[in-house]
């Protein structure tokens, strides 16, 4: 039996309704997300794997290249949805440079692009944001406020 099935069975045994058992939809804004095919800290990839395993869905807004400069396989520019290889998880890789030589400009580019991208996405149940870099918390805070949902800061 999969972990997500155990979760739903436990919820049902406590008298939860079908609406109570719906897995949340997450909006995750993470400029430096490193996926399986990129160099760097793969903590984000492990979290996406876990979210998918328990039946959660997510729109993940990230840059098309990682903080070490590696471009993600299947990366697409302009917020176009990229396959994540995980059920229910959509990676939206923005063409915003992650260039250490122009770090401040890179942050500003990503913030503007992320803010535009959020407008076209499904309403989340929770907004998740990671740091570093700290500036990416700003569009996450705005999105959580706009939708009236909790913000989880990692």
């Amino acid at each position: 039996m999969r972990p997500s099935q155990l979760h739903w069975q436990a919820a049902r045994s406590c008298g939860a309704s079908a609406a109570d058992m719906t897995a949340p939809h997450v909006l995750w804004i993470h400029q430096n997300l490193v996926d399986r095919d990129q160099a760097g800290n793969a903590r984000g990839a492990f979290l996406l794997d876990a979210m998918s395993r328990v039946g959660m869905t997510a729109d993940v807004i990230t840059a098309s290249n990682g903080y070490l400069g590696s471009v993600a396989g299947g990366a697409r520019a302009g917020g176009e949805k990229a396959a994540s290889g995980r059920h229910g998880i959509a990676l939206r890789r923005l063409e915003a440079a992650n260039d250490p030589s122009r770090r401040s400009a890179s942050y500003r580019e990503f913030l503007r692009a992320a803010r535009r991208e959020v407008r076209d996405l499904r309403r989340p149940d929770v907004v998740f944001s990671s740091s570093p870099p700290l500036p990416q918390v700003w569009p996450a805070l705005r999105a959580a406020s706009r939708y009236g949902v909790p913000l989880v800061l990692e």
Side-chain angles (χ1 to χ4, degrees), residues 62 76-82 91-95 117 121:
T62 187
R76 295 173 171 85
E80 195 174 328
K81 189 171 158 181
L91 296 179
R92 298 179 183 282
R93 296 213 177 258
L94 306 180
E95 195 170 339
E117 187 67 21
L121 299 178

Side-chain angles (χ1 to χ4, degrees), residues 110-138:
F110 181 78
L111 295 177
R112 282 192 294 272
R115 196 173 77 204
R116 284 190 303 269
E117 187 67 21
V118 165
R119 296 178 192 153
D120 297 328
L121 299 178
R122 170 181 158 192
R123 182 188 189 284
D125 297 305
V126 64
V127 176
F128 195 76
S129 184
S130 297
S131 178
L134 198 53
Q136 69 192 359
V137 175
W138 179 243

Side-chain angles (χ1 to χ4, degrees), residues 5 10 19 51 53 76 88 108 121 141 144 148-149:
Q5 291 172 316
M51 290 168 69
R53 270 195 309 276
R76 295 173 171 85
R108 286 191 306 273
L121 299 178
L141 182 59
V149 298

Side-chain angles (χ1 to χ4, degrees), residues 22 41 44 54 71 86 144:
T22 302
N41 183 340
V54 298
V71 177
R86 300 169 185 92

Side-chain angles (χ1 to χ4, degrees), residues 2-5 46-56 87:
R2 292 185 357 231
S4 59
Q5 291 172 316
F46 297 138
L47 182 55
L48 290 175
D49 290 342
M51 290 168 69
S52 179
R53 270 195 309 276
V54 298
M56 296 171 75
H87 180 73

